[in-house]
Amino acid sequence: MEPRAAVIGGGIGGIQAALDLAEMGIEVLLVEKQPSIGGVMAQLDKTFPTNDCSI
Amino acid sequence: MLDAGRHPKIRILAYSEVEGLKGRDGNFEIKIRRKARYVKEDVCNACGMCVTKCPGRALDAFDMGLRKRTAIYLYFSQGIPAVMTIDPEHCIYFTKGRCRTCEKVCDKGAIDFEMKARVETYPVNAVILATGLDILDPSHLTHYGYGKLKNVITGLQYERLINATGPTGGHLERPSDGKLAKKVAYVQCVGSRDLNNCAYCSSVCCMYSIKDAMLAREHDPESDSYIFHTDLRNVGKWFQKYEKRAREEYGVNFIRGRVAQIEEDEECNPIVWYEDTRLQEVKALKVEMVVLATAATPAKGARGLARLLGVRTDPYGFIQTKPDEPADTSRPGIFACGFCKGPCDIPEAVSQASAAAERVAAFISQTAGV
């Protein structure tokens, strides 16, 4: 069986962890309770300290 | 977000919750409840025809209740998976037994009212908790008037107001009359650093309030911003410079003093009563809108999840991690990153996430010998 991990929460932390795991060859289940991933960061307009758009 | 949606090694299980975890030493079996969205994920293309015809209405949680959405809805426009979901509590068919309009107008045949929630189990070698945060509902802090005074909103509501994809198209239209708010007060430490609520510092409010004030000025150069703060905790790379920019280039007013009471006049303009600690005077300031920097807490349900997974939390419900291995929880094979283990900002959450992923890789190579 290929190595596999579950990431619980699909916000910015969960997405980053999932991408890093996947890049290391680990299969990822990204579990999110809301209808789609994005988390709180997706609700933000711009982010400090650069005022870049959040998504 | 898009990269995660496209990556062949990542499977997104959205609208799903963890129900249990069995096993040890890197041989776990995780039980996941896939909630019924009554829309087939592999068929729906989010064309939106159903949304134009749906008669059901509910407050839009993504927009922090500032507008209504239909009972069949897209959680947010860039979300992944980009598919509709039916909210059975507000769907006319589920509550009154007739309608099914969405089913009739869906050319794709994506609607499935018979869909049932199902529980799936998967073998996994490790788990990362990244359940994030929720904000404290400040209604019980009655001196701020939230819930009673229409033009007192939370920081997250402000984010939606000033967002071009938000309910007002990015205009700071205040809730009472839709008038553009030109004089805005930002109140810090609402529930944070408060022994009766959250004794800890939420750590992001000083910086996001400065950002909020700068954005207001960018939208309207005539606007005035006032930040009422305890002390400013702008600890991070370029953060001090950011505050200086707000003062000098954006003309943001900083007032050191906790707000004691918010009232309103007959035109619903909030009146902020505060003690100016520099002048040692009690003063009042009339503004057009107030934004409360409410405490950020562990996500609702995070404590229950921690119990289910057998990992320890601190008295506030944040996941406990080891001082020498900050991504490791109390249970081997379960790791944590981001706000679920304590207040942090986005760059910190991202680096913690990478650290947790590295710890998982190390754990898997030790236990599974991969």
Side-chain angles (χ1 to χ4, degrees):
Chain A
M1 191 189 89
E2 268 197 73
R4 185 196 272 163
V7 176
I8 307 172
I12 180 65
I15 291 172
Q16 182 66 47
L19 285 170
D20 284 6
L21 288 168
E23 287 301 310
M24 288 188 279
I26 297 167
E27 215 179 282
V28 183
L29 298 170
L30 181 55
V31 186
E32 168 58 49
K33 69 177 173 183
Q34 298 294 351
S36 54
I37 61 167
V40 175
M41 199 189 75
Q43 291 176 281
L44 307 181
D45 181 35
K46 307 263 171 67
T47 58
F48 63 76
T50 50
N51 288 6
D52 287 333
C53 288
S54 69
I55 44 173
Chain B
M1 204 161 72
L2 211 56
D3 293 343
R6 286 181 183 149
H7 204 292
K9 291 246 176 224
I10 300 177
R11 181 151 172 230
I12 296 174
L13 306 178
Y15 212 44
S16 302
E17 289 184 39
V18 175
E19 276 210 336
L21 184 79
K22 281 197 299 200
R24 52 178 296 182
D25 297 335
N27 285 305
F28 299 107
E29 193 170 76
I30 193 164
K31 212 193 245 187
I32 297 167
R33 185 178 182 81
R34 313 290 312 274
K35 296 182 277 187
R37 61 166 99 219
Y38 306 105
V39 175
K40 295 172 199 156
E41 261 184 43
D42 50 343
V43 180
C44 176
N45 64 353
C47 71
M49 187 53 91
C50 51
V51 171
T52 63
K53 305 286 181 196
C54 175
R57 292 290 179 273
L59 285 179
D60 189 324
F62 188 80
D63 276 335
M64 301 309 292
L66 290 171
R67 70 168 148 194
K68 287 195 168 169
R69 59 155 170 80
T70 44
I72 186 164
Y73 67 106
L74 194 61
Y75 183 55
F76 69 100
S77 48
Q78 301 97 329
I80 296 171
V83 292
M84 299 292 170
T85 303
I86 293 178
D87 161 7
E89 282 175 33
H90 297 92
C91 166
I92 308 286
Y93 173 68
F94 280 111
T95 54
K96 302 209 168 89
R98 50 187 300 197
C99 180
R100 298 178 81 123
T101 306
C102 51
E103 191 179 41
K104 287 170 212 146
V105 299
C106 181
D107 293 340
K108 293 263 177 189
I111 311 293
D112 178 6
F113 282 105
E114 309 307 316
M115 193 179 274
K116 297 269 179 286
R118 56 186 198 278
V119 175
E120 295 172 352
T121 53
Y122 298 89
V124 292
N125 303 101
V127 176
I128 295 180
L129 289 169
T131 49
L133 64 124
D134 265 314
I135 61 161
L136 182 81
D137 178 347
S139 306
H140 68 287
L141 302 165
T142 51
H143 52 293
Y144 295 118
Y146 182 78
K148 206 175 97 208
L149 311 181
K150 282 188 181 151
N151 294 325
V152 176
I153 63 171
T154 65
L156 258 185
Q157 286 180 316
Y158 182 90
E159 291 288 344
R160 299 311 302 152
L161 270 190
I162 206 151
N163 196 309
T165 64
T168 57
H171 302 293
L172 275 188
E173 294 170 11
R174 61 183 203 167
S176 73
D177 51 12
K179 208 177 94 181
L180 288 181
K182 285 181 172 290
K183 199 171 174 184
V184 184
Y186 303 86
V187 179
Q188 301 303 290
C189 303
V190 175
S192 302
R193 303 174 71 188
D194 172 349
L195 295 180
N196 296 317
N197 289 280
C198 304
Y200 55 86
C201 167
S202 296
S203 92
V204 288
C205 324
C206 287
M207 281 297 281
Y208 81 62
S209 295
I210 295 174
K211 178 203 72 179
D212 288 348
M214 286 164 92
L215 292 182
R217 190 80 167 195
E218 277 179 11
H219 280 232
D220 181 356
E222 306 281 292
S223 66
D224 287 315
S225 305
Y226 300 83
I227 297 182
F228 291 90
H229 61 91
T230 312
D231 45 28
L232 289 166
R233 294 191 159 180
N234 304 329
V235 186
K237 202 174 177 182
W238 300 318
F239 287 11
Q240 279 287 309
K241 215 159 109 188
Y242 193 70
E243 181 200 321
K244 200 163 170 261
R245 235 176 100 203
R247 283 181 199 272
E248 293 171 4
E249 292 173 35
Y250 289 76
V252 175
N253 301 290
F254 288 84
I255 301 169
R256 184 176 177 273
R258 277 208 172 190
V259 169
Q261 181 86 34
I262 302 175
E263 296 170 342
E264 67 177 9
D265 68 8
E266 60 286 351
E267 283 162 359
C268 295
N269 293 310
I271 299 162
V272 180
W273 284 94
Y274 64 100
E275 182 196 10
D276 187 323
T277 55
R278 289 190 204 284
L279 301 174
Q280 299 188 337
E281 277 175 28
V282 174
K283 290 176 150 187
L285 179 75
K286 185 162 102 173
V287 293
E288 292 168 359
M289 192 164 75
V290 171
V291 180
L292 303 177
T294 43
T297 64
K300 288 180 196 84
R303 207 188 278 264
L305 178 67
R307 211 175 296 128
L308 201 69
L309 300 184
V311 300
R312 277 200 281 276
T313 52
D314 72 10
Y316 305 112
F318 291 114
I319 308 288
Q320 272 189 14
T321 49
K322 296 179 181 169
D324 54 340
E325 283 294 359
D328 294 31
T329 69
S330 58
R331 184 171 176 189
I334 304 186
F335 303 86
C337 62
F339 216 104
C340 71
K341 64 194 219 52
C344 65
D345 62 17
I346 293 170
E348 256 179 277
V350 169
S351 48
Q352 288 180 18
S354 294
E358 295 286 345
R359 291 293 299 150
V360 166
F363 178 78
I364 290 178
S365 66
Q366 280 161 12
T367 52
V370 182

